[in-house]
Amino acid sequence: MKEALVTKGPEVQVVDSPVPSPNDDQVLIRVVVSGSNPKDWKMAEWFRKAPSNEGDDIAGVVERVGANVFEFKPGDRVAAFHEMATPHGSYAEYAVAWAHTTFHIPHETTFEEAAALPLAAMTAAVGLYARLGLPQPLAPRPDDAPPLPLIIYGASSAVGIYAVQLARRSNIHPLICVAGRARDYVSGFLDKARGDVVVDYRDGDDAVVAGILLAAGDKKLMYALDAVSEGSSPANLARVLDAGGGAQATFVLYGRQDLPAHIVQNVTTVGSVHKDLKDFGHVYYRYFARGLQEGWFKGQRTQVMPGGLGGIEAALKDLKAGNASAVKYVFRIAETEGVVGSREGE
């Protein structure tokens, strides 16, 4: 099979590799579309010494299942979150995923949309519910509940736009969303009647702080999910989160932020669904599928990069340069040079 390996640069080499085999608790998926994430170039740049398949967003068709797998069978249309930093990722014709981070996708959901979901949507869920401890959409807050302001910094990012949708499903309002070029895109997901707003970071840090405080009014700001986690976003949150103690912020990047001691901070760590949050991941991936079917949950906007696996290098360079705005780069594996034969189900 063809497989794309990423190295520092980022540079990508497409090679021939054996088709992997799943273990008893895994699923082998014929990848139709792979998604990409900023971590794909960052991991190769910062941590990996050898070329590696960094793809973790899988959308495709089940090829084979392990002995203990009962939810899936060959031919099923699925999406899956590949375990990060392990072999057999989504930058290939075939990928392996654990059964508990694999989920069926509705017939109406395209493989392109499905490939935009697994890593980023789960990051949002882990951040909101496992880290911040906010009310879950499985048991949403009643309509007459008091306001519960939530700051979502980087709301137009993949993680941010899923956090917006999940928070609305939990009936959390007002949502105070920080975005820039894609502010109109974010606005389309908000309930302005409940006080949801977009604050434009392009107006400068002082304006962001003022906009957040204005949106909150007399309500304490106790919760923030930062999908940017670099630049001025942590410092701006430090200026607005309640100083009385107990305010919480969760970040998508590793490492402690320079925040005052009164703010409880943690890292979202989506990889936890392959470790201590396995049950959480199992439940929420199936909940995402339900949301797709019912229409209240939607994948981030996608852009298909030409050339299949051959388009990964250009996409990762674009991500590194910060050129992607409110869009997920995805790759149709059948467009890869050298991929031969029909790919039924695409």
Side-chain angles (χ1 to χ4, degrees):
M1 69 170 187
K2 296 296 182 183
E3 181 177 29
L5 303 179
V6 185
T7 53
K8 183 177 180 179
E11 295 182 357
V12 177
Q13 181 182 13
V14 179
V15 301
D16 291 309
S17 299
V19 175
S21 295
N23 68 24
D24 287 350
D25 299 302
Q26 292 178 331
V27 179
L28 177 67
I29 301 168
R30 177 166 52 83
V31 185
V32 178
V33 179
S34 170
S36 61
N37 293 282
K39 63 144 284 281
D40 299 349
W41 71 262
K42 292 177 180 178
M43 294 298 102
E45 192 97 353
W46 299 343
F47 300 114
R48 313 282 190 250
K49 294 182 179 179
S52 56
N53 179 340
E54 292 292 339
D56 297 315
D57 283 333
I58 307 168
V61 178
V62 174
E63 182 78 10
R64 194 161 75 250
V65 302
N68 297 332
V69 176
F70 62 90
E71 287 185 271
F72 308 101
K73 64 183 185 304
D76 285 347
R77 299 174 78 250
V78 297
F81 176 33
H82 167 261
E83 184 175 4
M84 296 185 293
T86 67
H88 315 314
S90 67
Y91 288 165
E93 291 186 70
Y94 294 89
V96 167
W98 294 93
H100 76 278
T101 57
T102 302
F103 58 103
H104 293 279
I105 55 175
H107 295 299
E108 299 79 11
T109 300
T110 66
F111 287 117
E112 288 78 10
E113 181 180 13
L117 283 162
L119 186 150
M122 186 55 67
T123 302
V126 170
L128 292 174
Y129 307 122
R131 301 296 178 241
L132 293 179
L134 290 165
Q136 300 194 39
L138 308 177
R141 305 173 77 231
D143 288 337
D144 59 355
L148 181 60
L150 170 65
I151 304 167
I152 300 177
Y153 217 115
S156 66
S157 68
V159 173
I161 209 63
Y162 294 128
V164 169
Q165 295 179 71
L166 290 170
R168 274 200 65 176
R169 190 68 177 177
S170 293
N171 203 19
I172 295 171
H173 299 282
L175 299 178
I176 304 172
C177 300
V178 181
R181 285 177 289 171
R183 61 172 299 157
D184 291 341
Y185 172 62
V186 175
S187 293
F189 290 89
L190 303 183
D191 185 349
K192 296 177 179 61
R194 303 293 301 276
D196 298 350
V197 298
V198 179
V199 177
D200 197 324
Y201 68 78
R202 295 173 297 179
D203 295 332
D205 292 336
D206 289 342
V208 167
V209 169
I212 292 173
L213 293 174
L214 179 64
D218 60 356
K219 297 176 285 292
K220 289 184 178 181
L221 291 168
M222 302 298 293
Y223 300 100
L225 183 148
D226 189 347
V228 179
S229 304
E230 56 189 355
S232 60
S233 67
N236 289 343
L237 289 177
R239 294 170 64 185
V240 299
L241 287 171
D242 187 73
Q248 298 185 60
T250 188
F251 299 91
V252 298
L253 293 183
Y254 289 93
R256 304 287 290 180
Q257 303 292 340
D258 185 18
L259 296 181
H262 66 265
I263 298 174
V264 178
Q265 63 171 302
N266 56 66
V267 182
T268 300
T269 57
V270 66
S272 298
V273 298
H274 287 123
K275 297 174 183 174
D276 57 310
L277 292 181
K278 288 182 180 179
D279 289 353
F280 182 97
H282 176 95
V283 170
Y284 268 95
Y285 277 123
R286 282 136 191 83
Y287 191 59
F288 296 162
R290 180 181 178 87
L292 290 169
Q293 186 177 47
E294 294 180 345
W296 60 263
F297 197 59
K298 300 181 184 300
Q300 186 192 21
R301 295 187 298 193
T302 61
Q303 179 178 331
V304 178
M305 299 297 283
L309 298 176
I312 293 174
E313 182 172 313
L316 297 188
K317 287 181 175 177
D318 234 25
L319 288 173
K320 183 178 180 180
N323 294 332
S325 177
V327 67
K328 172 81 75 172
Y329 293 140
V330 300
F331 317 97
R332 293 173 178 152
I333 305 304
E335 296 180 0
T336 305
E337 183 178 355
V339 170
V340 181
S342 65
R343 296 175 65 87
E344 184 181 353
E346 300 175 29

